[in-house]
Amino acid sequence: MLEDIQTLKSQVEAYQINTPEDLEAFRLKFVKKEIPALMGNMRNIAPENRKDYGLAVNELKGLAQEKFKAIQDTLKAASLEAGIQAPLDMTLPIVPHQLGSVHPLTLTQNRIIEIFERIGFNVADGPEIEDDWHNFTALNFPPNHPAREMQDTFFLEKDPDIALRTHTSSVQVRLMENQKPPIRAIMPGRVFRNEAISARAHCIFHQVEGLYIDENVSLIDLKQTLYHFAKEMFGKNTKIRFRPSYFPFTEPSAEVDISCNICQGDGCNVCKYTGWLEIGGSGMVDPNVLENCGIDSEKYTGFAFGMGIERITMLKYRIQDLRLFTENDVRFLKQFRNLV
Ligand code: DAH
């Protein structure tokens, strides 16, 4: 009987295992079948030999299990090395996910678009590198007009006809040249001016332009549209006021203020104790501009407005320094994490 154990032991030792399939065959043959069968033989053994027999079978069992485990580990390591994924372990703790946040300027731009889309405005855009016609001339800036110098323009050195657009009003011109009225659109985008960077000014910033051209569009439509915008953006108790102003491309022109959303008009250091905060410029599109763009100024009228997106964002989220928008400081950006 002890010879049976010896024979099986030599078989276990000699058994060739190269693949997971060989390993499984080994397990079924020895661990599951033949070694338990030897155990089952115990009752045929003379009682005085049973102890030795039992010890020998147990030793063989240990040997087979060790061989199985050792080869199993080697095969597992080899398959991982070969890039084969270990089975997914659903009980492992999750890797914490680093969620980003929407940039505050994007939040504001998205909100502006949402407000105007609901009242029938489309979104349009145009190039950031513009020619003199679209940025100035078509907008009724005569050559050598001082208003051209008001906007510190980045011109292309080799071709002074080409510049980085100083305002999104250039997109108005492109729209009117390419579409027939009625036109109702907002045009958000980047603009560029040669200004020193400070808490209140930057050489790259964002504006949103608005344009509505149709028959019988009046100043009332302009006022009501901007009033609606101000209430949606800053809260339903917000008031607006128009201050007469001058822009070459609108007549009459007005600057638009909203009631200070911090002191509700009582006066504080943000509104410099006036109770009002400026958000942009506006007016009725000058008939010259309509004609420059091929629109019949006898038949059509329209209004336009332009607002600073940084300015609106600073007022809405009470941000004191414009440079924060471009510094990519995560301590600043993280504060907008829960907003969409
Ligand atoms: N383009 C002007 C600026 O950048 C803003 C502006 C004023 C736009 C009046 C308009 C407008 O459309 O009607 O200062």
Side-chain angles (χ1 to χ4, degrees), residues 151 167 169 172 193 207 209 247 249-250 281-283 304-306:
Q151 310 194 341
H167 50 186
S169 303
Q172 277 187 41
R193 290 188 199 176
Q207 290 187 333
E209 196 77 13
F247 300 102
F249 36 92
T250 43
S282 68
F305 58 84

Side-chain angles (χ1 to χ4, degrees), residues 28 125 167 181 195 202:
L28 292 176
D125 70 3
H167 50 186
E195 289 194 35
H202 206 290

Side-chain angles (χ1 to χ4, degrees), residues 4-12 30 34-35 38 60:
D4 292 349
I5 299 176
Q6 263 317 319
T7 320
L8 205 57
K9 188 177 172 201
S10 331
Q11 283 181 22
V12 165
F30 297 105
E34 303 209 358
I35 298 174
L38 286 181
L60 175 59

Side-chain angles (χ1 to χ4, degrees), residues 139 141 150-151 166-170 172 191 193 205 207-211 222 246-255 278 280-285 303-308:
L139 288 164
F141 286 82
M150 261 162 56
Q151 310 194 341
T166 57
H167 50 186
T168 43
S169 303
S170 55
Q172 277 187 41
V191 299
R193 290 188 199 176
F205 55 101
Q207 290 187 333
V208 57
E209 196 77 13
L211 180 71
L222 170 62
Y246 170 77
F247 300 102
F249 36 92
T250 43
E251 182 57 38
S253 305
E255 255 149 331
E278 187 191 320
S282 68
M284 300 305 293
V285 179
F303 68 69
F305 58 84
M307 300 186 287

